[in-house]
Amino acid sequence: MTGGAIAMQDEFAAEDACLVLEGPLLLRHAEDLRARLLQAVQTQPRLEIDCTGVTEADLSAVQALLSAGRSAQRGGKSLLLRGAPAPALCAALARAGFPPVADAAGFSHWMQGEAAS
């Protein structure tokens, strides 16, 4: 990625919405990430977040994702991670004190498929 900008793609369909996060999710991208997550949570009743392409992540990314999850829950909406998060995000979760993602409090209820078992 050039310029260090966060790459996000919105794949909003009638029933399912997916926000694809790629590249670095670092403090310098935190405001953009927070705004995109908030917009997606506010406009979609069911949101999936694909973090498989995340190349770097820090605690600001963990905070933003947890905040989005709480916002969705308060609004009676569904927010899930699509597939297993990239190793960079798993490492940020570990640094934040979360156990491995499959068992991570606050994230396991978002997991789909085998990552949730």
Side-chain angles (χ1 to χ4, degrees), residues 22-116:
E22 299 175 321
L25 299 181
L26 303 171
L27 183 58
R28 67 179 172 262
H29 310 116
E31 184 56 33
D32 187 33
L33 176 60
R34 185 201 66 78
R36 297 293 303 225
L37 287 167
L38 183 60
Q39 177 189 18
V41 166
Q42 288 176 342
T43 60
Q44 302 299 321
R46 184 177 189 283
L47 177 65
E48 294 181 7
I49 301 175
D50 182 339
C51 297
T52 58
V54 173
T55 58
E56 293 179 81
D58 62 16
L59 297 181
S60 67
V62 174
Q63 264 186 316
L65 289 166
L66 286 170
S67 179
R70 285 191 303 271
S71 293
Q73 188 175 35
R74 279 193 307 269
K77 298 180 178 190
S78 173
L79 188 146
L80 300 168
L81 293 181
R82 178 184 282 184
L89 182 55
C90 291
L93 288 166
R95 288 190 305 273
F98 288 92
V101 172
D103 300 319
F107 280 89
S108 61
H109 67 284
W110 293 356
M111 302 300 291
Q112 291 187 27
E114 293 181 23

Side-chain angles (χ1 to χ4, degrees), residues 3-18:
I6 188 170
M8 292 187 234
Q9 303 171 16
D10 299 342
E11 298 174 5
F12 297 151
E15 293 179 13
D16 293 325
C18 183

